[in-house]
Amino acid sequence: MQTPTNQPLPLAGVRVLDVSQVMAGPYCCMLLADLGADVIKIEPPGTGDQTRGSMGFKMKGSDSMGFLNMNRNKRSVTLNLKTEAGKEIFFRLVKTADILVENYRPGVMKKLGVDYPTLKKINPGLVYASISGFGQTGPWADRPGFDLMAQAMSGVMSVTGYPDGPPVKAGVPVADIGCALFAAYGILSAYIGKTKSGEGQFIDASLFDSALAFSIWDTSQYWGTGVDPYKLGTANHMSAPYQAMQASDGYFVMGATNQKLWSLLCEKIGRPELIEDERFKTNPLRLANRLILVKELEKTFLTKTSEEWVDQLLAEGIPAGPINTYPQAFDSEHGKHRQMRIEIDHPVEGSIPNIGFAVKLSETPQQVSRHPPLLGEHTSELLKELGIEKEELAKLTEGGAFKA
């Protein structure tokens, strides 16, 4: 991990209520926590965040590795928001909060009596972010939404894979993680605005919108030509050659994305005749004849291993790289240098791996100050902070605030 500094982290003193489960909401809140925010994870008693019990293998404790990788630097309190006693404590937490993130289906928070209009009366400066599958309004708003549905219905799956293959989703949850990032961008923008106006606001973030936002090249191609976007495998609509190529022992990736690189590629692989080939003279022509182009290049690439080609192309200044597995990426010299695997001490699991920080701040680097919390681990601590004493606590407990 990066070396701590004496300066406070950028979001130190900012309180976030994480009323979310599974991925987009928890991941968004973890990003804020990594930057120093006091993130309080409010979970249903008994089960907690659904992700605690997900995945098809067991750890030492009851929390999954997925949960452990999306909830560091948070405090956990269990509250039953279906009870008046639970809501009473929740409202008191809201008074102390700057930001709230929830990802229930549209209408659920209103039904519980903890929606934005209600909470705004309690705390006018609250920045309230609602994450959902399809947004808070629109014909699909009431549909349950997960990453798979968002990828399918946004068009992402229609351009993923190869032309003659079945539907394929992106290998990583682009809608979930994308929505988490866009939500964080909206939250921080609204928070900066709040510091000037004193007023919070409502943020509507959806997996569907976020997945569509990634469609820049495909949508540009469609709007420019009127042709529906289609599957290209590892290639794209911007330039060619720019994709995976087959070598003697497997595949590697490379890209000659402009005329200079294209000419250099042809010269350095011993195929100068391709420069003047009428089918490949310009980038538009290379795109139009991409399949033929790939066959021509692979005649040469099949003469050496992928490692040999990557080394040779990089030596000539032509972008290229191996196709790594995740273990290879994390264990690579570069992955280690970038600290993309970190270790966190956990009271049940011992030392647990976590994915490292994706951006690095020079003066106030993100830090791990708390392990992913056990369910309800900080309930007593937070009740004391709210000034709830023994007699009041007994009444709240009797009212079902902490029971499923």
Side-chain angles (χ1 to χ4, degrees), residues 380-391:
S380 296
E381 177 180 303
L382 285 162
L383 293 176
K384 288 180 181 177
E385 289 182 14
L386 293 174
I388 296 175
E389 302 293 342
K390 186 175 181 180
E391 184 176 336

Side-chain angles (χ1 to χ4, degrees), residues 212-373:
L212 264 176
F214 285 122
S215 69
I216 294 172
W217 293 123
D218 297 290
T219 298
S220 296
Q221 174 83 4
Y222 169 60
W223 285 339
T225 66
V227 177
D228 281 358
Y230 48 88
K231 299 176 183 178
L232 286 171
T234 60
N236 78 355
H237 293 291
M238 178 184 175
S239 57
Y242 180 82
Q243 64 182 86
M245 295 285 181
Q246 188 172 12
S248 63
D249 63 339
Y251 288 84
F252 69 99
V253 294
M254 56 77 59
T257 55
N258 56 45
Q259 202 64 25
K260 179 180 178 181
L261 283 173
W262 166 243
S263 298
L264 182 63
L265 172 70
C266 295
E267 293 287 351
K268 297 304 179 182
I269 68 172
R271 300 292 303 277
E273 76 278 7
L274 295 179
I275 298 174
E276 297 303 321
D277 192 309
E278 292 296 329
R279 299 169 297 177
F280 312 135
K281 270 195 168 185
T282 66
N283 186 57
L285 285 170
R286 290 192 291 277
L287 282 167
N289 296 291
R290 185 179 60 82
L291 295 179
I292 300 171
L293 172 64
V294 171
K295 288 182 179 180
E296 281 295 330
L297 291 174
E298 287 187 339
K299 289 177 183 178
T300 301
F301 289 144
L302 283 166
T303 64
K304 295 181 182 180
T305 67
S306 56
E307 184 177 4
E308 288 175 318
W309 281 118
V310 169
D311 289 344
Q312 180 177 331
L313 295 178
L314 288 178
E316 302 297 342
I318 300 169
I323 300 175
N324 288 330
T325 63
Y326 282 126
Q328 288 172 328
F330 279 113
D331 293 339
S332 68
E333 184 179 4
H334 191 74
K336 291 177 179 177
H337 176 80
R338 298 296 295 176
Q339 298 177 306
M340 287 310 297
R341 171 176 168 151
I342 60 178
E343 298 290 328
I344 298 176
D345 291 329
H346 189 273
V348 175
E349 304 295 341
S351 180
I352 56 170
N354 257 217
I355 298 173
F357 307 115
V359 295
K360 279 71 174 173
L361 279 67
S362 65
E363 303 306 315
T364 56
Q366 302 98 314
Q367 300 297 319
V368 176
S369 57
R370 296 180 181 274
H371 60 259

Side-chain angles (χ1 to χ4, degrees), residues 152-222:
M153 297 171 72
S154 66
V156 170
M157 285 179 64
S158 74
V159 297
T160 305
Y162 286 87
D164 56 351
V168 178
K169 74 176 182 65
V172 293
V174 293
D176 267 325
I177 297 299
C179 190
L181 296 173
F182 286 127
Y185 144 81
I187 287 166
L188 293 176
S189 298
Y191 180 76
I192 292 170
K194 166 195 165 176
T195 63
K196 300 173 182 177
S197 68
E199 291 291 319
Q201 59 178 300
F202 182 82
I203 297 166
D204 180 358
S206 85
L207 275 63
F208 175 78
D209 296 1
S210 299
L212 264 176
F214 285 122
S215 69
I216 294 172
W217 293 123
D218 297 290
T219 298
S220 296
Q221 174 83 4
Y222 169 60

